[in-house]
Amino acid sequence: KDVLTDLPEKVEKVFTVELSAEERRVYAALEASVSRTIRSMLGENGGEIGVEVLALLTRLRLMCCDRSLAEEGVAQTGSKVKACIRLVLELMGQNQQILIFSSFTKVLELLAAELDRLHLSYRILRGSTPKEERHQAVQDFQAGRFGVFLISLKAGGTGLNLTEAQAVIHFDPWWNKAAMNQATDRAY
């Protein structure tokens, strides 16, 4: 703001997505199970807990993204994915190019499946994307050859210039707010 005074204001909107009654029921059951497991771990380990807790918390985060990521055999699209796709359609209706960031490549795959179903052009950028493919995808996005760029946290952390994007969606808020801001600023 102090250096480049000609930049437009950054407009941020937070969209809260209500889980369906069934999703809330499953989340509550999972949360109770995780809580019991953590209490048990604390009792067994004299108050010490390890990386197992991170795995449990990650499972809760995945459930908040989409039930199918935390529970096997779920075929229907979850509330959050549906809401994201509605937002994408609205933004594309305004001719906006969109970046969607997620901590989880599984989330990006769910979104890609929905975009495929709607015959919308997109690319996915993962940490495993080869350098040449990564470079080409960035060039194609900047040139307007596709409208939605799905980007993992790992892949979007450094070295991207995506200034043609008019909208940035963080599908799942990150624990590291600075990394989230850095990702947003790829388009700013």
Side-chain angles (χ1 to χ4, degrees):
K1 216 176 219 183
D2 295 334
V3 177
L4 294 173
T5 56
D6 60 334
L7 285 176
E9 284 295 315
K10 188 188 302 183
V11 177
E12 294 185 35
K13 294 180 183 179
V14 175
F15 292 91
T16 302
V17 177
E18 289 290 323
L19 297 176
S20 70
E22 180 64 12
E23 288 169 326
R24 282 194 308 275
R25 184 194 65 72
V26 172
Y27 181 86
L30 180 59
E31 183 182 36
S33 172
V34 166
S35 182
R36 281 190 305 275
T37 302
I38 291 173
R39 279 195 303 278
S40 173
M41 293 166 107
L42 286 170
E44 292 170 5
N45 299 322
E48 296 288 322
I49 52 176
V51 294
E52 298 89 6
V53 171
L54 287 177
L56 293 169
L57 294 175
T58 297
R59 188 156 180 234
L60 284 171
R61 284 189 71 211
L62 285 168
M63 173 59 209
C64 288
C65 291
D66 196 272
R67 182 176 168 195
S68 69
L69 301 175
E71 187 178 31
E72 289 188 33
V74 176
Q76 72 232 36
T77 304
S79 299
K80 197 167 181 180
V81 170
K82 287 178 185 175
C84 184
I85 294 300
R86 280 194 304 272
L87 180 58
V88 165
L89 291 171
E90 179 183 323
L91 293 168
M92 290 184 82
Q94 300 167 10
N95 294 318
Q96 293 190 34
Q97 284 184 263
I98 307 156
L99 305 178
I100 302 177
F101 289 97
S102 177
S103 303
F104 305 107
T105 57
K106 291 177 181 180
V107 166
L108 300 178
E109 291 164 10
L110 287 175
L111 292 169
E114 288 299 305
L115 294 171
D116 282 338
R117 189 179 62 74
L118 295 168
H119 307 290
L120 296 174
S121 63
Y122 69 91
R123 300 288 185 286
I124 297 180
L125 192 62
R126 301 175 182 88
S128 62
T129 303
K131 186 177 177 180
E132 304 77 31
E133 192 177 316
R134 173 187 175 102
H135 179 71
Q136 186 62 53
V138 169
Q139 280 186 328
D140 288 347
F141 183 80
Q142 290 293 94
R145 293 187 187 104
F146 63 94
V148 181
F149 211 162
L150 304 170
I151 306 173
S152 73
L153 169 61
K154 186 175 181 181
T158 56
L160 291 179
N161 181 4
L162 299 165
T163 54
E164 292 303 312
Q166 294 84 28
V168 177
I169 298 170
H170 293 282
F171 188 87
D172 47 288
W174 302 343
W175 291 332
N176 181 344
K177 181 74 172 163
M180 197 162 92
N181 290 338
Q182 184 181 43
T184 298
D185 288 342
R186 299 289 170 217
Y188 187 55

